[in-house]
Amino acid sequence: MPARLKRPSLLIAAAVAALVLAAVAPVALGAPGDVQTGVAREIAPGAASSSPERLTVVGSTLFFTADHPSYGRELWKTTSDGVTKMVKNIDPGTMSSNPEELTAVGSTLFFTADDGTGDRELWKSDGTGPGTVRVRNINRVPNPDSNPNAASWPAELTEVNGRLFFAAQVGQQPDPISGLQPADDRELYVSDGTAAGTRRVANILSQGATHAAGSSNPSFLTSWGGGLYFRAVDQYGVRLWRSDGTRTGTVPVSAVPMAPEALTVVGNLLFFTGSRGSYNREPWVTDGTAAGTRMLRDLDTFPGSPSNPDELTAVGDRVFFSADVGGDRELYSSDGTTTGTRRVRNINLQRSSAPSELTAFHDELYFQATIDGNTELYRSDGTFAGTVLVKDIYNGGGSSPTELTVVGDHLFFHALTSFNTSESRPYDQLVRSDGTAAGTVPVGVAGPAGDGVPSGLGSFNGTLYYRDSSPGAGVELWKATIEP
C-alpha cells in the first residue's frame, strides 16, 4: 500500500489541525498598499456582458446600471457588505428602462428612466424595489406622433441643500387655428421627491411684448453658496442666473450676456468660461454679485481668437485649466485675479502639450500631457518648477492615462503599460499611483489595447469599482481592493 495512504486517522487529524490554524491565524494577502483585483459580480451569465455604467454612491450603497439578457439595462446596486443585485426591473421583461443621470440627494437616488411607454421622466429609489418609483409625469401633453404622454427628458440633475434641481420640458398645446404643434418649452424645475413638490421654478423665457415664447434651456447647473447657479437664455441673451427654488428668487446674476459654460466652484468664487463681444471665449469669475462678475483676462489677445479654456478643475484655492493661446494649448491657473491668471508652464516647447484629464489629488493637480507624441502622467503644484512628469509608464510610446480616479491615498487610471511582442500590439491595464515614480505601478490583468476596458472607474467604501473583462465572462463589475 502506498505510504501516502497509511495511517489515515493521523492524516485526517493533521488536516483538521491545519484548517483550525488557518481559520484563526491572520491571512496575509499582501503588503500594506498592495492592490488585489478581481470580479466583484458576474451579472450577465456566461460570455454575455453586463457592462456596468454610471457608478453613483448614495450613503452605504453603490448604484449603477447593468445589462442582463433577461431584464435589459436596469438599475442595480452593491451594498457595503458586498451584496450585488438588481434594484428593480422598471421596464418589465427584456426591454431596458436605461436609467440615466444618477444623482444622490441625501439618502435618495434620483435618476431618469423610461418605463416602456416611451415616456422618460424623473424617478427616485431608496434601494428597494417598492421604493423605486416615478416621482411625477411632468410632461402630460399628448404626443400626436407616438405616445399619449410625451417625455419631459429631465437632465442636469443637481443637488442643492437637500433638493433636486433639473431642466425639463413640457409640450405646448397645438394652435387652435393652424393645428401646428409648437416646440416644447424647456425650463428649470425643482423636486423634494414628491409629486406635489416637483414643479417648474420659473418660466425664464416666456411670451412677452418683445420676444416669442421659447425655452430658456437651463444648463451647467451648479450648487454654490447655498443656491443654484446656471446658464439660461432670456430675451436679452444667454446669461448667468441663480435660483433659490422660488420664482422671485430666480434672477440673472449680471445684466451682461456672456454665454457662461463650465461653471466651477473654488472656495468663495465661481469660475466659468464666457464669450462677450470681441473677446470670444475666455476665463471669467463671479462672487455672486453683478459688480463681481467679470472676465479675468483676455489670454489670447489676437483679435477674434478665443483661448477656449477647458477642464476647469479646483485644487485648493486655485482653478486649473487648459487654454489655447496662439495655437499652443498649455496648463493655466487662476486665483480669481487678473494678475493671478497665468500660464503655469509651457510643458511642450515645440507644440501643444494639450493637458487633459485634470484631477485634484493630494492637494495637487494630476493630468496627462504630451511631449513629442508621448502622452504621460504629470502633476503640478501650480508653480513652474513643481509641474513635472510623474513617470514614463509606457516606454513603447505614450501611456495615455485616462479616467483618473481618487480612492483614498491612491490615484487609479487606465493606461497603456506593455507591448506584446508575439501579437505586435500594445496592452493596457489599471494603474495606481501615490504620486511618485516608484509608487506608480500597473495592477490587475493586462488586455489588448482598444477593447474599452478597464473603464467606468468609481470609488466606493475605500474600494475602486470598475468594469473589465475576462475570458468567457464578458465585461462585468470588477473591484480593486487596497490592502490596509
Side-chain angles (χ1 to χ4, degrees):
M1 181 177 291
R4 64 185 176 89
L5 295 182
K6 289 180 179 179
R7 302 178 67 88
S9 60
L10 291 178
L11 293 174
I12 292 172
V16 170
L19 288 173
V20 171
L21 289 174
V24 298
V27 179
L29 295 178
D34 282 356
V35 177
Q36 309 293 333
T37 65
V39 178
R41 169 74 185 273
E42 185 179 354
I43 294 172
S49 295
S50 68
S51 300
E53 296 178 350
R54 309 181 193 284
L55 277 62
T56 304
V57 177
V58 182
S60 60
T61 302
L62 175 69
F63 289 91
F64 58 95
T65 71
D67 204 353
H68 190 284
S70 299
Y71 312 117
R73 181 163 291 278
E74 295 293 345
L75 184 66
W76 287 68
K77 70 174 183 180
T78 290
T79 58
S80 56
D81 56 5
V83 176
T84 299
K85 63 180 181 179
M86 186 173 66
V87 177
K88 185 174 184 176
N89 191 6
I90 296 172
D91 188 351
T94 60
M95 302 301 291
S96 301
S97 69
N98 286 318
E100 296 178 351
E101 298 268 348
L102 278 62
T103 304
V105 179
S107 60
T108 301
L109 175 78
F110 285 85
F111 60 99
T112 73
D114 183 341
D115 60 5
T117 65
D119 183 15
R120 181 164 292 275
E121 295 291 347
L122 182 67
W123 285 66
K124 68 175 182 179
S125 177
D126 62 2
T128 68
T132 301
V133 296
R134 185 172 65 182
V135 177
R136 181 179 175 183
N137 187 5
I138 296 172
N139 193 354
R140 291 180 175 273
V141 175
N143 182 341
D145 297 324
S146 55
N147 301 298
N149 288 313
S152 67
W153 296 104
E156 301 259 353
L157 276 61
T158 304
E159 187 272 339
V160 181
N161 281 345
R163 291 188 297 174
L164 181 77
F165 285 82
F166 58 99
Q169 63 193 41
V170 174
Q172 305 296 304
Q173 296 290 349
D175 182 270
I177 298 176
S178 65
L180 295 177
Q181 184 89 13
D184 291 335
D185 184 15
R186 190 165 189 81
E187 298 292 343
L188 181 67
Y189 282 72
V190 68
S191 177
D192 63 2
T194 68
T198 302
R199 56 179 176 78
R200 187 174 66 185
V201 176
N203 192 7
I204 295 172
L205 185 58
S206 59
Q207 183 72 42
T210 60
H211 62 283
S215 298
S216 68
N217 287 319
S219 58
F220 299 100
L221 275 62
T222 304
S223 176
W224 178 53
L228 178 78
Y229 287 74
F230 60 101
R231 160 182 165 145
V233 180
D234 59 36
Q235 67 263 41
Y236 302 107
V238 186
R239 299 192 286 175
L240 181 66
W241 283 66
R242 67 168 175 262
S243 177
D244 62 3
T246 68
R247 183 180 61 81
T248 56
T250 302
V251 295
V253 174
S254 168
V256 177
M258 79 295 285
E261 295 181 1
L263 278 61
T264 305
V265 177
V266 184
N268 60 355
L269 294 175
L270 182 67
F271 291 83
F272 58 98
T273 72
S275 181
R276 173 68 174 166
S278 61
Y279 291 110
N280 293 299
R281 190 151 298 279
E282 297 292 344
W284 285 61
V285 70
T286 184
D287 60 5
T289 68
T293 303
R294 59 190 176 84
M295 186 179 74
L296 280 167
R297 185 175 172 186
D298 184 15
L299 293 175
D300 194 333
T301 57
F302 188 83
S305 182
S307 69
N308 285 324
D310 194 21
E311 295 204 37
L312 277 65
T313 304
V315 181
D317 59 357
R318 299 187 69 86
V319 65
F320 287 82
F321 56 95
S322 74
D324 186 336
V325 177
D328 183 16
R329 181 164 289 275
E330 296 292 343
L331 183 66
Y332 286 72
S333 77
S334 177
D335 61 2
T337 68
T338 299
T339 56
T341 303
R342 55 178 174 76
R343 186 173 65 187
V344 177
R345 180 169 187 167
N346 188 4
I347 298 172
N348 189 345
L349 298 178
Q350 304 302 319
R351 55 182 65 87
S352 296
S353 69
S356 63
E357 301 283 336
L358 276 61
T359 304
F361 175 56
H362 281 174
D363 296 323
E364 291 187 310
L365 181 79
Y366 284 72
F367 58 102
Q368 66 161 243
T370 303
I371 295 181
D372 296 330
N374 191 19
T375 304
E376 292 293 349
L377 182 68
Y378 284 73
R379 73 168 187 264
S380 177
D381 62 4
T383 68
F384 177 91
T387 302
V388 295
L389 172 73
V390 175
K391 184 177 183 178
D392 187 358
I393 298 170
Y394 179 49
N395 292 327
S399 68
S400 300
T402 58
E403 294 200 50
L404 278 62
T405 303
V406 177
V407 182
D409 290 329
H410 297 268
L411 180 70
F412 287 87
F413 51 92
H414 170 201
L416 295 176
T417 58
S418 61
F419 188 84
N420 187 303
T421 54
S422 63
E423 296 184 12
S424 297
R425 64 182 301 178
Y427 269 54
D428 59 9
Q429 63 190 118
L430 196 64
V431 179
R432 74 101 193 267
S433 178
D434 61 4
T436 68
T440 301
V441 293
V443 296
V445 298
D451 60 1
V453 291
S455 57
L457 281 60
S459 175
F460 172 58
N461 204 30
T463 298
L464 177 78
Y465 283 79
Y466 59 104
R467 57 178 176 264
D468 209 338
S469 62
S470 59
V475 179
E476 295 294 342
L477 183 67
W478 283 54
K479 66 178 180 180
T481 304
I482 304 169
E483 291 294 326

